[in-house]
């Protein structure tokens, strides 16, 4: 499986390529050509896995990450985000469009998802449990964060069109996310999560609460 990681530098968070990360390339004549990253870093070079892209000056190329065999007609399934866990984080999904210039293709990737940065402590969950539950034997092992919006915020059979850069929802898009976390209920440590959500309108309120 290909992956990327988040690297924090002050108040800025970068997506960091990992050697072997796979991307898919599309053109008007070619479909889903696979390339892989040659090194770690905030930028990297890629090499073809199999038949390489045909280089033609000015040709427009559409790219996405992570590579998928399920793509069809320039449409890619976005990662499932309706239910998430700390043990199985949702893959980053990025896209880019560029023209071949001087036999080179320089891709600047953008994120489809926005990321909620949420920091919690076990004591916050203990206080919530004491306030809302009479059964003191409840543990934090199955605790989590519930995120709710008035707009579509999570993905389930959701498509992304590489050419139009549009997100295509099913007939009943989901407006919530369940995020299950694994924390030490006896600690006072803080836990920070980067939770992927679909972009929201500027004035859309997002509700965040705990559950057991």
């Amino acid at each position: 499986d290909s992956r990327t990681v988040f690297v924090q530098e002050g108040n800025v968070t970068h997506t960091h390529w990992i050697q072997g990360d796979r991307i898919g390339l599309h053109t008007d004549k070619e479909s889903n050509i696979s390339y892989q990253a040659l090194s770690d870093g905030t930028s990297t070079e890629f090499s073809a896995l199999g038949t390489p892209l045909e280089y033609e000056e000015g040709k427009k190329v559409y790219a996405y990450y992570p590579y998928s065999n399920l793509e069809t007609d320039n449409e890619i399934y976005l990662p499932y985000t309706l239910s998430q866990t700390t043990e199985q984080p949702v893959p980053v999904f990025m896209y880019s469009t560029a023209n071949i210039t001087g036999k080179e293709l320089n891709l600047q990737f953008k994120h489809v998802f926005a990321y909620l940065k949420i920091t919690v402590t076990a004591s916050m969950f203990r206080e919530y449990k004491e306030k809302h539950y009479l059964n003191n034997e409840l543990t934090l092992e199955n605790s989590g964060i519930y995120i709710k919006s008035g707009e579509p915020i999570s993905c389930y059979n959701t498509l992304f069109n590489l050419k139009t850069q549009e997100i295509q929802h099913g007939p009943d898009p989901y407006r919530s996310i369940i995020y299950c976390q694994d924390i030490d209920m006896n600690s006072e440590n803080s836990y920070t999560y980067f939770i992927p959500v679909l972009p929201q309108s500027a004035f859309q309120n997002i509700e965040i609460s705990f559950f057991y």
Side-chain angles (χ1 to χ4, degrees):
D1 292 339
S2 55
R3 63 188 179 92
T4 58
V5 296
F6 286 109
V7 178
Q8 281 191 268
E9 296 178 358
N11 293 324
V12 179
T13 303
H14 301 283
T15 301
H16 190 86
W17 293 103
I18 299 296
Q19 183 178 359
D21 277 344
R22 295 177 64 189
I23 63 174
L25 302 182
H26 286 256
T27 69
D28 290 337
K29 299 179 181 179
E30 300 156 294
S31 178
N32 214 28
I33 300 174
S34 179
Y35 275 67
Q36 70 175 1
L38 296 179
S39 62
D40 300 352
T42 54
S43 63
T44 185
E45 294 184 354
F46 291 87
S47 64
L49 291 173
T51 304
L53 184 74
E54 292 184 7
Y55 278 80
E56 179 183 336
E57 187 72 17
K59 178 191 286 188
K60 194 167 190 177
V61 180
Y62 305 90
Y64 73 95
Y65 169 88
Y67 178 83
S68 172
N69 290 319
L70 299 178
E71 69 79 33
T72 176
D73 194 25
N74 295 304
E75 292 181 341
I76 316 296
Y77 278 102
L78 291 176
Y80 172 84
T81 63
L82 178 61
S83 177
Q84 306 178 30
T85 71
T86 54
E87 294 180 351
Q88 295 181 324
V90 174
V92 171
F93 189 94
M94 300 183 293
Y95 67 96
S96 181
T97 303
N99 294 324
I100 295 175
T101 304
K103 294 186 177 181
E104 291 186 353
L105 179 63
N106 294 311
L107 296 167
Q108 300 291 325
F109 282 85
K110 300 178 181 179
H111 288 274
V112 167
F113 295 121
Y115 283 82
L116 285 178
K117 182 182 178 181
I118 299 177
T119 300
V120 298
T121 64
S123 62
M124 294 169 62
F125 280 88
R126 288 196 295 269
E127 292 171 3
Y128 180 83
K129 182 183 71 173
E130 292 171 358
K131 182 177 180 180
H132 293 87
Y133 293 90
L134 297 177
N135 182 359
N136 290 327
E137 293 182 358
L138 286 172
T139 69
L140 300 181
E141 293 177 358
N142 297 315
S143 63
I145 301 168
Y146 183 70
I147 302 168
K148 184 178 179 181
S149 175
E151 299 178 353
I153 196 171
S154 58
C155 297
Y156 179 77
N157 288 334
T158 306
L159 289 167
F160 181 77
N161 189 299
L162 288 174
K163 288 190 174 182
T164 64
Q165 299 177 3
E166 293 178 341
I167 297 172
Q168 301 174 8
H169 298 283
D172 188 19
Y174 288 89
R175 293 172 168 80
S176 63
I177 292 173
I178 297 174
Y179 189 88
C180 298
Q181 59 184 50
D182 181 18
I183 63 177
D184 180 359
M185 63 181 175
N186 296 315
S187 76
E188 295 301 328
N189 297 332
S190 63
Y191 299 84
T192 299
Y193 309 109
F194 293 92
I195 303 178
V197 300
L198 292 175
Q200 305 288 290
S201 300
F203 299 102
Q204 176 60 48
N205 291 325
I206 297 177
E207 298 178 12
I208 300 175
S209 59
F210 298 145
F211 70 84
Y212 286 95

